[in-house]
Amino acid sequence: MAQPLYLKAYGKVNLGLDVIRRREDGYHEVRMIMQTVKLYDRIILERNHSGNIFLRTNLPYLPVNEKNLVYRAIDIIRREYGIKDGVSATIIKRIPVAAGMAGGSTDAAAAFVGMNQLFALNITQEKLMEYGVTLGADIPYCIMRGTALSEGIGEILTPLPPLPGCWFLIVKPGFSMSTKFVYEHLTLDARTEHPDIDGMVDALFAHSLDGVASRMGNVLEQVTSQHYPAIGELKNIMVENGALNALMSGSGPTVFGIFTSRETAEQAARACGKHPAVRRTAVVRPFNKSLPAKSAGQSGR
């Protein structure tokens, strides 16, 4: 029997998140700048002769059946390629759950990539991303990783130049937010403040960390921060302690700040840790990929 396959499923933050409109099918059209960070879950895959999928996690409240995206990703590949062997999968969670960091999506992305490796299927990345979008709009990005412009419902991806060297402070409060709830309560009107996504793309091509940080914005904050003032309070603490800027990621409630040094980020982590709402802090690097220069208008994978 083949050796177990160990994979890192990296989380993401949204450097910019704009919602353009609500579509007739109920989905929201978005424009986002996505960034992978080096906070990851560990996914372990192993073949077995049972013909079944076995799933276990280190968190007792996570489902270990078809309600789990990892289970469903494994099942899709097994069915599509007529795989008779069973698969045992272990999910060791480190990314906060329901935190706006695509924890479930990145685990599923790792399962798709891992199944491809485990059974030597030679599936292209484009095809894996096609499978991924059937389970969730963030999964294709989590397969691709790095810095990217995300459009449509999140499935249209354009690779961007890597974020210049920096450190992230990631802070998870002790409460969670439902993405569905946030989008259902989002109001888009003339008063909505939209982040400068195009300006952020230009700043990335100019390799300007200050240019990226100064344009950070998230339309969904207007919903989450109304219910949880701690979002704004944590952002302020980060900026007061040296962050170039701070923002809520995704639909929240995770808040992150960008810092030019690890020491400053760790100092801010200590300050945030004193806030009564904070459950966890992490200081990590961005996960970057080297990409050739290309036009921001070009579509990527």
Side-chain angles (χ1 to χ4, degrees):
M1 186 62 67
Q3 292 296 310
L5 185 63
Y6 294 84
L7 303 117
K8 292 179 179 179
Y10 290 100
K12 64 84 184 168
V13 294
N14 300 90
L15 300 174
L17 194 163
D18 195 10
V19 180
I20 310 303
R21 65 185 180 94
R22 182 185 175 92
R23 307 193 318 185
E24 291 182 2
D25 61 8
Y27 287 98
H28 286 80
E29 188 172 319
V30 297
R31 294 190 82 222
M32 305 183 290
I33 304 294
M34 312 280 273
Q35 176 62 52
T36 310
V37 296
K38 291 186 177 180
L39 179 63
Y40 59 86
D41 295 339
R42 179 73 77 176
I43 309 297
I44 306 169
L45 300 180
E46 188 172 12
R47 297 168 69 163
N48 62 57
H49 293 307
S50 71
N52 298 310
I53 301 171
F54 297 103
L55 186 61
R56 61 180 180 177
T57 81
N58 62 326
L59 298 180
Y61 52 83
L62 292 181
V64 291
N65 52 25
E66 62 277 358
K67 293 182 180 179
N68 191 297
L69 290 175
V70 168
Y71 186 106
R72 293 167 66 186
I74 292 169
D75 190 50
I76 284 174
I77 298 300
R78 288 182 73 240
R79 290 175 183 274
E80 286 288 323
Y81 294 88
I83 295 170
K84 302 302 182 185
D85 278 358
V87 176
S88 299
T90 301
I91 306 171
I92 302 171
K93 293 293 295 182
R94 293 173 179 164
I95 300 169
V97 176
M101 294 189 69
S105 293
T106 195
D107 292 349
F112 278 118
V113 171
M115 287 293 290
N116 192 24
Q117 295 177 21
L118 197 64
F119 292 95
L121 300 172
N122 296 315
I123 309 171
T124 65
Q125 187 178 77
E126 289 90 345
K127 189 63 178 177
L128 288 175
M129 291 164 70
E130 287 178 19
Y131 292 135
V133 79
T134 66
L135 295 184
D138 279 345
I139 295 176
Y141 166 73
C142 292
I143 291 173
M144 187 183 78
R145 304 195 297 198
T147 312
L149 172 65
S150 172
E151 298 176 284
I153 61 170
E155 85 289 8
I156 304 170
L157 298 168
T158 305
L160 295 172
L163 186 69
C166 63
W167 292 86
F168 284 98
L169 167 58
I170 295 170
V171 174
K172 171 63 170 68
F175 49 85
S176 297
M177 283 299 292
S178 157
T179 299
K180 181 180 178 183
F181 175 89
V182 173
Y183 273 101
E184 285 178 347
H185 290 79
L186 176 65
T187 300
L188 297 173
D189 55 29
R191 295 171 296 177
T192 303
E193 293 186 18
H194 295 274
D196 182 8
I197 299 297
D198 290 333
M200 189 175 287
V201 170
D202 291 341
L204 285 164
F205 274 94
H207 309 293
S208 171
L209 183 61
D210 286 335
V212 172
S214 65
R215 292 173 172 86
M216 285 165 49
N218 182 347
V219 166
L220 301 182
E221 265 193 30
Q222 64 177 277
V223 179
T224 308
S225 60
Q226 284 178 2
H227 293 270
Y228 294 105
I231 300 294
E233 293 165 4
L234 290 170
K235 287 173 61 180
N236 289 337
I237 292 172
M238 290 187 192
V239 172
E240 290 167 0
N241 283 272
L244 296 180
N245 206 346
L247 192 68
M248 183 185 81
S249 182
S251 56
T254 295
V255 177
F256 70 93
I258 294 182
F259 297 80
T260 56
S261 75
R262 180 174 186 169
E263 292 74 20
T264 309
E266 289 177 341
Q267 174 186 320
R270 290 190 290 271
C272 287
K274 297 175 183 178
H275 193 288
V278 171
R279 177 72 55 85
R280 181 183 169 195
T281 66
V283 174
V284 297
R285 284 279 205 181
F287 175 96
N288 283 327
K289 300 193 301 182
S290 295
L291 294 167
K294 61 172 65 179
S295 163
Q298 283 185 280
S299 249
R301 355 181 217 88

